Short mmCIF file of all heavy atoms in Angstrom, two decimals:
data_model
loop_
_atom_site.label_atom_id
_atom_site.label_comp_id
_atom_site.label_asym_id
_atom_site.label_seq_id
_atom_site.Cartn_x
_atom_site.Cartn_y
_atom_site.Cartn_z
N GLU W 719 35.41 21.77 8.03
CA GLU W 719 34.92 21.25 6.81
C GLU W 719 33.65 20.54 6.97
O GLU W 719 32.76 20.61 6.18
CB GLU W 719 36.03 20.29 6.23
CG GLU W 719 37.36 20.87 5.89
CD GLU W 719 37.20 21.83 4.69
OE1 GLU W 719 36.23 21.67 3.98
OE2 GLU W 719 38.18 22.63 4.56
N VAL W 720 33.49 19.77 8.12
CA VAL W 720 32.24 19.00 8.34
C VAL W 720 31.04 20.02 8.45
O VAL W 720 30.05 19.82 7.84
CB VAL W 720 32.31 18.16 9.55
CG1 VAL W 720 31.03 17.49 9.91
CG2 VAL W 720 33.40 17.08 9.47
N ASP W 721 31.29 21.09 9.18
CA ASP W 721 30.31 22.08 9.34
C ASP W 721 29.93 22.74 8.11
O ASP W 721 28.68 22.87 7.75
CB ASP W 721 30.76 23.23 10.33
CG ASP W 721 30.12 23.15 11.62
OD1 ASP W 721 29.28 22.20 11.81
OD2 ASP W 721 30.22 24.03 12.52
N ALA W 722 30.85 23.00 7.18
CA ALA W 722 30.62 23.62 5.90
C ALA W 722 29.80 22.65 5.06
O ALA W 722 28.85 23.16 4.29
CB ALA W 722 31.95 23.96 5.17
N VAL W 723 30.20 21.45 5.02
CA VAL W 723 29.43 20.43 4.22
C VAL W 723 28.01 20.29 4.74
O VAL W 723 27.04 20.24 3.91
CB VAL W 723 30.19 19.02 4.27
CG1 VAL W 723 29.30 17.98 3.69
CG2 VAL W 723 31.42 19.24 3.49
N CYS W 724 27.80 20.29 5.97
CA CYS W 724 26.49 20.15 6.62
C CYS W 724 25.55 21.32 6.13
O CYS W 724 24.47 21.22 5.75
CB CYS W 724 26.53 20.03 8.02
SG CYS W 724 25.04 20.07 8.97
N ASN W 725 26.18 22.52 6.25
CA ASN W 725 25.39 23.69 5.83
C ASN W 725 25.03 23.76 4.39
O ASN W 725 24.03 24.11 3.99
CB ASN W 725 26.19 25.01 6.26
CG ASN W 725 26.24 25.30 7.71
OD1 ASN W 725 25.27 24.87 8.48
ND2 ASN W 725 27.31 25.93 8.17
N LEU W 726 25.99 23.21 3.52
CA LEU W 726 25.74 23.20 2.14
C LEU W 726 24.61 22.18 1.83
O LEU W 726 23.78 22.38 1.01
CB LEU W 726 26.94 22.76 1.31
CG LEU W 726 28.00 23.82 1.13
CD1 LEU W 726 29.39 23.33 0.67
CD2 LEU W 726 27.50 24.97 0.14
N ILE W 727 24.65 21.00 2.51
CA ILE W 727 23.53 20.02 2.28
C ILE W 727 22.14 20.60 2.63
O ILE W 727 21.21 20.43 1.88
CB ILE W 727 23.85 18.78 3.18
CG1 ILE W 727 25.06 18.00 2.66
CG2 ILE W 727 22.65 17.81 3.18
CD1 ILE W 727 25.56 17.04 3.63
N LEU W 728 22.13 21.26 3.79
CA LEU W 728 20.76 21.85 4.25
C LEU W 728 20.41 22.95 3.33
O LEU W 728 19.17 23.12 3.05
CB LEU W 728 20.88 22.34 5.69
CG LEU W 728 21.07 21.17 6.73
CD1 LEU W 728 21.44 21.67 8.12
CD2 LEU W 728 19.73 20.30 6.84
N SER W 729 21.34 23.84 2.89
CA SER W 729 20.99 24.86 1.93
C SER W 729 20.43 24.37 0.62
O SER W 729 19.45 24.83 0.05
CB SER W 729 22.25 25.81 1.69
OG SER W 729 22.66 26.43 2.96
N LEU W 730 21.15 23.32 0.06
CA LEU W 730 20.68 22.70 -1.10
C LEU W 730 19.24 22.21 -1.06
O LEU W 730 18.37 22.49 -1.96
CB LEU W 730 21.69 21.51 -1.56
CG LEU W 730 21.52 20.98 -2.91
CD1 LEU W 730 22.85 20.37 -3.34
CD2 LEU W 730 20.46 19.79 -2.91
N VAL W 731 18.99 21.58 0.06
CA VAL W 731 17.59 21.02 0.19
C VAL W 731 16.60 22.05 0.58
O VAL W 731 15.42 21.96 0.24
CB VAL W 731 17.63 19.88 1.34
CG1 VAL W 731 16.20 19.47 1.59
CG2 VAL W 731 18.53 18.70 0.92
N TYR W 732 17.11 23.17 1.15
CA TYR W 732 16.18 24.27 1.34
C TYR W 732 15.63 24.84 -0.02
O TYR W 732 14.41 25.12 -0.08
CB TYR W 732 17.00 25.47 2.06
CG TYR W 732 16.36 26.84 1.93
CD1 TYR W 732 15.31 27.13 2.90
CD2 TYR W 732 16.82 27.81 1.09
CE1 TYR W 732 14.71 28.43 2.86
CE2 TYR W 732 16.18 29.05 1.07
CZ TYR W 732 15.20 29.38 1.91
OH TYR W 732 14.59 30.60 1.87
N TYR W 733 16.44 24.92 -0.98
CA TYR W 733 15.94 25.34 -2.31
C TYR W 733 15.04 24.19 -2.88
O TYR W 733 14.12 24.61 -3.66
CB TYR W 733 17.13 25.73 -3.19
CG TYR W 733 17.79 27.04 -2.75
CD1 TYR W 733 18.95 27.00 -2.05
CD2 TYR W 733 17.14 28.20 -3.03
CE1 TYR W 733 19.55 28.25 -1.55
CE2 TYR W 733 17.75 29.40 -2.59
CZ TYR W 733 18.88 29.42 -1.94
OH TYR W 733 19.36 30.63 -1.39
N PHE W 734 15.49 23.08 -2.69
CA PHE W 734 14.67 21.95 -3.23
C PHE W 734 13.18 21.99 -2.69
O PHE W 734 12.17 21.87 -3.36
CB PHE W 734 15.30 20.52 -2.93
CG PHE W 734 14.45 19.38 -3.42
CD1 PHE W 734 14.77 18.82 -4.68
CD2 PHE W 734 13.49 18.80 -2.64
CE1 PHE W 734 14.04 17.70 -5.14
CE2 PHE W 734 12.74 17.56 -3.05
CZ PHE W 734 13.08 17.13 -4.33
N TYR W 735 13.10 22.21 -1.27
CA TYR W 735 11.77 22.27 -0.69
C TYR W 735 11.02 23.50 -1.19
O TYR W 735 9.79 23.39 -1.55
CB TYR W 735 12.04 22.51 0.76
CG TYR W 735 12.10 21.29 1.65
CD1 TYR W 735 13.17 21.08 2.57
CD2 TYR W 735 11.21 20.14 1.55
CE1 TYR W 735 13.26 19.95 3.24
CE2 TYR W 735 11.31 19.05 2.34
CZ TYR W 735 12.38 18.89 3.13
OH TYR W 735 12.50 17.79 3.84
N ASN W 736 11.63 24.59 -1.43
CA ASN W 736 10.85 25.74 -1.97
C ASN W 736 10.59 25.66 -3.40
O ASN W 736 9.54 26.21 -3.87
CB ASN W 736 11.77 26.98 -1.68
CG ASN W 736 11.55 27.55 -0.32
OD1 ASN W 736 10.53 28.13 0.06
ND2 ASN W 736 12.50 27.32 0.54
N LEU W 737 11.24 24.89 -4.19
CA LEU W 737 11.05 24.68 -5.63
C LEU W 737 9.78 23.70 -5.70
O LEU W 737 8.98 23.77 -6.56
CB LEU W 737 12.17 24.02 -6.28
CG LEU W 737 12.03 23.66 -7.80
CD1 LEU W 737 11.61 24.74 -8.59
CD2 LEU W 737 13.31 23.06 -8.36
N MET W 738 9.72 22.64 -4.78
CA MET W 738 8.70 21.66 -4.89
C MET W 738 8.67 21.05 -6.29
O MET W 738 7.73 21.22 -7.00
CB MET W 738 7.35 22.25 -4.49
CG MET W 738 7.14 22.37 -3.00
SD MET W 738 7.05 20.80 -2.28
CE MET W 738 7.03 21.16 -0.53
N PRO W 739 9.75 20.34 -6.74
CA PRO W 739 9.93 19.95 -8.17
C PRO W 739 9.19 18.68 -8.44
O PRO W 739 9.16 18.25 -9.61
CB PRO W 739 11.35 19.83 -8.31
CG PRO W 739 11.90 19.39 -6.94
CD PRO W 739 10.98 20.14 -5.93
N LEU W 740 8.55 18.00 -7.45
CA LEU W 740 7.95 16.79 -7.71
C LEU W 740 6.39 16.84 -7.55
O LEU W 740 5.89 17.63 -6.72
CB LEU W 740 8.44 15.66 -6.73
CG LEU W 740 9.98 15.33 -6.88
CD1 LEU W 740 10.47 14.52 -5.63
CD2 LEU W 740 10.15 14.44 -8.17
N SER W 741 5.71 16.03 -8.12
CA SER W 741 4.22 15.99 -8.09
C SER W 741 3.74 15.47 -6.73
O SER W 741 2.69 15.82 -6.28
CB SER W 741 3.56 15.20 -9.20
OG SER W 741 4.03 13.94 -9.10
N ARG W 742 4.52 14.63 -6.12
CA ARG W 742 4.17 14.14 -4.79
C ARG W 742 5.48 13.71 -4.03
O ARG W 742 6.51 13.52 -4.70
CB ARG W 742 3.42 12.74 -4.90
CG ARG W 742 2.05 12.81 -5.59
CD ARG W 742 0.95 13.33 -4.61
NE ARG W 742 -0.31 13.07 -5.19
CZ ARG W 742 -0.87 13.73 -6.12
NH1 ARG W 742 -0.31 14.73 -6.79
NH2 ARG W 742 -2.16 13.38 -6.57
N GLY W 743 5.47 13.65 -2.66
CA GLY W 743 6.55 13.07 -2.01
C GLY W 743 7.75 13.95 -1.79
O GLY W 743 8.79 13.35 -1.27
N SER W 744 7.71 15.15 -2.22
CA SER W 744 8.89 15.96 -2.10
C SER W 744 9.47 16.04 -0.71
O SER W 744 10.82 15.98 -0.43
CB SER W 744 8.66 17.46 -2.51
OG SER W 744 8.35 17.44 -3.91
N SER W 745 8.65 16.05 0.32
CA SER W 745 9.11 16.15 1.76
C SER W 745 10.00 15.03 2.19
O SER W 745 11.09 15.25 2.68
CB SER W 745 7.90 16.44 2.68
OG SER W 745 8.35 16.69 4.04
N VAL W 746 9.45 13.77 2.17
CA VAL W 746 10.10 12.65 2.69
C VAL W 746 11.38 12.39 1.81
O VAL W 746 12.40 11.85 2.23
CB VAL W 746 9.22 11.52 2.81
CG1 VAL W 746 8.82 10.81 1.54
CG2 VAL W 746 9.90 10.46 3.71
N ILE W 747 11.25 12.63 0.51
CA ILE W 747 12.41 12.36 -0.45
C ILE W 747 13.52 13.28 -0.01
O ILE W 747 14.73 12.95 0.01
CB ILE W 747 11.98 12.62 -1.88
CG1 ILE W 747 11.12 11.39 -2.36
CG2 ILE W 747 13.16 12.72 -2.83
CD1 ILE W 747 10.34 11.64 -3.63
N ALA W 748 13.22 14.58 0.22
CA ALA W 748 14.28 15.54 0.50
C ALA W 748 14.89 15.21 1.90
O ALA W 748 16.08 15.33 2.02
CB ALA W 748 13.69 16.92 0.62
N TYR W 749 14.14 14.80 2.80
CA TYR W 749 14.66 14.51 4.18
C TYR W 749 15.56 13.28 4.14
O TYR W 749 16.53 13.24 4.80
CB TYR W 749 13.55 14.22 5.17
CG TYR W 749 14.06 14.60 6.67
CD1 TYR W 749 14.48 15.71 7.03
CD2 TYR W 749 14.13 13.47 7.54
CE1 TYR W 749 14.97 15.98 8.30
CE2 TYR W 749 14.61 13.57 8.77
CZ TYR W 749 15.03 14.89 9.15
OH TYR W 749 15.45 15.11 10.45
N SER W 750 15.24 12.33 3.30
CA SER W 750 16.07 11.01 3.15
C SER W 750 17.45 11.53 2.51
O SER W 750 18.58 10.92 2.93
CB SER W 750 15.40 9.99 2.40
OG SER W 750 15.08 10.37 1.07
N VAL W 751 17.44 12.43 1.60
CA VAL W 751 18.65 12.94 1.01
C VAL W 751 19.40 13.71 2.01
O VAL W 751 20.72 13.56 2.04
CB VAL W 751 18.25 13.84 -0.26
CG1 VAL W 751 19.53 14.60 -0.67
CG2 VAL W 751 17.77 13.08 -1.39
N ILE W 752 18.77 14.50 2.92
CA ILE W 752 19.56 15.25 3.97
C ILE W 752 20.22 14.22 4.82
O ILE W 752 21.48 14.22 5.16
CB ILE W 752 18.54 16.05 4.81
CG1 ILE W 752 18.06 17.23 4.07
CG2 ILE W 752 19.27 16.44 6.14
CD1 ILE W 752 16.97 18.06 4.82
N MET W 753 19.46 13.10 5.34
CA MET W 753 20.03 12.11 6.15
C MET W 753 21.23 11.35 5.47
O MET W 753 22.28 11.10 6.02
CB MET W 753 19.01 11.11 6.58
CG MET W 753 17.93 11.77 7.56
SD MET W 753 16.74 10.58 8.09
CE MET W 753 17.69 9.41 9.17
N GLY W 754 21.03 10.98 4.24
CA GLY W 754 22.01 10.16 3.56
C GLY W 754 23.25 10.97 3.28
O GLY W 754 24.36 10.52 3.53
N ALA W 755 23.13 12.19 2.77
CA ALA W 755 24.26 13.10 2.50
C ALA W 755 25.12 13.46 3.71
O ALA W 755 26.33 13.43 3.81
CB ALA W 755 23.80 14.37 1.82
N LEU W 756 24.34 13.70 4.89
CA LEU W 756 25.03 13.97 6.14
C LEU W 756 25.81 12.69 6.61
O LEU W 756 26.93 12.82 7.10
CB LEU W 756 23.97 14.33 7.23
CG LEU W 756 23.53 15.72 7.13
CD1 LEU W 756 22.31 15.96 8.15
CD2 LEU W 756 24.49 16.83 7.37
N MET W 757 25.21 11.54 6.43
CA MET W 757 25.94 10.34 6.81
C MET W 757 27.22 10.15 5.96
O MET W 757 28.27 9.62 6.42
CB MET W 757 25.09 9.05 6.65
CG MET W 757 23.94 9.02 7.74
SD MET W 757 22.53 8.01 7.35
CE MET W 757 23.44 6.39 7.49
N ALA W 758 27.17 10.61 4.63
CA ALA W 758 28.38 10.52 3.81
C ALA W 758 29.42 11.39 4.34
O ALA W 758 30.60 11.22 4.14
CB ALA W 758 27.95 10.84 2.44
#
Side-chain angles (χ1 to χ4, degrees):
E719 294 294 343
V720 174
D721 249 8
V723 167
C724 177
N725 289 333
L726 282 169
I727 291 167
L728 291 170
S729 294
L730 188 152
V731 175
Y732 165 78
Y733 288 101
F734 181 91
Y735 275 128
N736 277 282
L737 174 58
M738 282 290 170
L740 296 165
S741 58
R742 297 282 195 285
S744 292
S745 184
V746 72
I747 285 166
Y749 201 66
S750 64
V751 168
I752 290 175
M753 291 180 70
L756 284 173
M757 288 164 68

